[in-house]
Amino acid sequence: MTVTRHVSPARQGFRMPAEYSRHAGCWMLWPERPDNWRLGAKPAQAAFTAVATAISASETVRVGVSARQYANARAQLPAAVRLVEISSNDAWMRDVGPTIVVDDKGRRRGIDWHFNAWGGLQGGLYFPWDLDAAVAQKVCEVEGLDRYRPDFILEGGAIHVDGQGTLLVTEQCLLNPNRNPGMSREGYEAQLRAWLGVETVVWLGEGVFMDETDGHVDNLACFTAPGEVALTWTEDRRDPMYPIVRDAEARLRAACDARGRKFKLHKMVQPGPLHMTAEEARGVDACADTKPRQAGERLAASYVNFYIANRHVVMPLLDAKRDAGAAAVLKRCFPTRTVVGVPAREILLGGGNIHCITQQVPAGK
Ligand code: KQY
């Protein structure tokens, strides 16, 4: 497969399609590291299996798994899910997998961003991350995709597109000096136009409180259709999320998309607030090179962290008091898809949710 470093997808007629466009499939990774997933990752493996099973009702799911865990993953995942032996440091396919771009002829190529574990030696979440950094190339090889290799750091969870020229990002993440120090807002906009084929970049401010990715947009807001955005929400003025969601709302209301439309907002009242219990924190192995887990820490819980499959929307179930309200919003947003809830607290305990552990493969034509 070829690798292109200096010519961008946009120059060659490629662009990132929206997640709600047709997929050829979905990629995930198998969780196993005991210093991020409690109880030797057993509860997380059950949750990932439920997510893979739900998505496989819509599209082919491939799961990358270490040699060590191959037999265990095979025993837990349904037969329809395809296993591929791929080494990784953890299981966040959204961030370590390729962003796949398409052109008008239906051709597809993968973008293999540089990856530094959400901050490298300035606040990154674990060391080393060399296996994660090689995952996108391996997925491209299996998918038979030529690969673009931009010279900067980005994660798939830090970008959401509407497929019609508009991109959502957060300042907290992209402008953090632990990603691409010295890259300005204008510099980013030029790069993102070139690599994603977008025209308009809408900057939100802070991401979800305590989000350890430095505020990925995919936990805060996402497109549900051209011109429509789901936004995590709270009306509780004492909650640290209150100023964050108000600011995001104001920015979205002030902005227009690439086609000049104002955004229709779908507010999704956040779960909880949720916190890590002492028992949950005790179940995570201590490790000198991994961010420690503390009892009582606020979890970056959001219903916006869902996956849009071809015929289903797979959403996290996180709080019995709020799940039904979130599902109702998604049913209105996606009338042609079935909304499926998967218990997702065990994924949340690892620092992300369903969108973060999945990466779609667009169908191309
Ligand atoms: O949310 C994501 N996109 C990734 C979360 C990584 C957490 C690592 N502990």
Side-chain angles (χ1 to χ4, degrees), residues 3-5 96-100 109-115 132-138 140 146-152 154 195:
V3 52
T4 306
R5 292 172 199 280
V96 303
T99 298
I100 298 172
R109 294 180 183 163
I111 306 180
D112 177 7
W113 312 105
H114 283 267
F115 176 77
D132 279 350
V135 168
Q137 177 173 2
K138 294 174 182 175
C140 288
D146 287 339
R147 189 165 52 97
Y148 290 105
R149 183 70 168 154
D151 194 19
F152 63 98
L154 193 71
W195 293 97

Side-chain angles (χ1 to χ4, degrees), residues 192-256:
L192 294 168
R193 286 192 190 105
W195 293 97
L196 297 173
V198 294
E199 293 134 47
T200 300
V201 183
V202 178
W203 290 85
L204 304 181
E206 301 279 308
V208 168
F209 181 64
M210 295 296 280
D211 185 325
E212 61 191 28
T213 63
D214 303 309
H216 272 183
V217 76
D218 73 344
N219 213 20
L220 178 74
C222 69
F223 290 107
T224 57
E228 301 192 24
V229 173
L231 174 64
T232 192
W233 193 252
T234 181
E235 293 286 350
D236 181 356
R237 290 174 177 274
R238 293 158 307 171
D239 192 288
M241 279 300 290
Y242 187 82
I244 294 173
V245 301
R246 293 281 152 162
D247 176 63
E249 179 189 25
R251 289 174 187 240
L252 285 163
R253 292 215 188 278
C256 287

Side-chain angles (χ1 to χ4, degrees), residues 292-328:
R293 300 293 177 198
Q294 314 280 355
E297 72 188 31
R298 169 90 174 242
L299 299 169
S302 160
Y303 289 113
V304 167
N305 210 309
F306 56 84
Y307 179 76
I308 310 168
N310 284 336
R311 293 192 306 278
H312 299 83
V313 174
V314 182
M315 64 165 281
L317 300 178
L318 293 164
D319 176 354
K321 293 191 305 299
R322 304 253 192 248
D323 291 345

Side-chain angles (χ1 to χ4, degrees), residues 9-30:
R11 286 231 342 244
Q12 298 186 317
F14 285 81
R15 66 190 177 281
M16 181 182 176
E19 193 170 316
Y20 40 75
S21 302
R22 185 134 195 98
H23 299 173
C26 174
W27 277 84
M28 298 173 62
L29 287 162
W30 185 250

Side-chain angles (χ1 to χ4, degrees), residues 85-160:
E85 189 182 313
I86 292 185
S87 310
S88 62
N89 300 102
D90 203 357
W92 305 99
M93 189 54 103
R94 178 65 49 187
D95 295 340
V96 303
T99 298
I100 298 172
V101 290
V102 301
D103 73 359
D104 287 340
K105 296 185 183 135
R107 294 181 299 180
R108 299 173 301 173
R109 294 180 183 163
I111 306 180
D112 177 7
W113 312 105
H114 283 267
F115 176 77
N116 74 347
W118 311 275
L121 300 181
Q122 286 94 45
L125 299 179
Y126 45 74
F127 178 90
W129 55 82
D130 56 327
L131 301 175
D132 279 350
V135 168
Q137 177 173 2
K138 294 174 182 175
V139 170
C140 288
E141 287 284 344
V142 174
E143 292 287 336
L145 300 176
D146 287 339
R147 189 165 52 97
Y148 290 105
R149 183 70 168 154
D151 194 19
F152 63 98
I153 290 167
L154 193 71
E155 301 104 34
I159 51 175
H160 256 306

Side-chain angles (χ1 to χ4, degrees), residues 27-32 45 48 62-77 81-91 93 131 135 138-139 142:
W27 277 84
M28 298 173 62
L29 287 162
W30 185 250
E32 66 171 281
Q45 290 172 0
F48 276 55
R62 289 188 169 77
V63 176
V65 60
S66 71
R68 238 179 351 265
Q69 281 284 318
Y70 192 95
N72 177 41
R74 187 63 286 162
Q76 294 196 51
L77 289 161
V81 171
R82 311 293 300 274
L83 272 190
V84 182
E85 189 182 313
I86 292 185
S87 310
S88 62
N89 300 102
D90 203 357
M93 189 54 103
L131 301 175
V135 168
K138 294 174 182 175
V139 170
V142 174

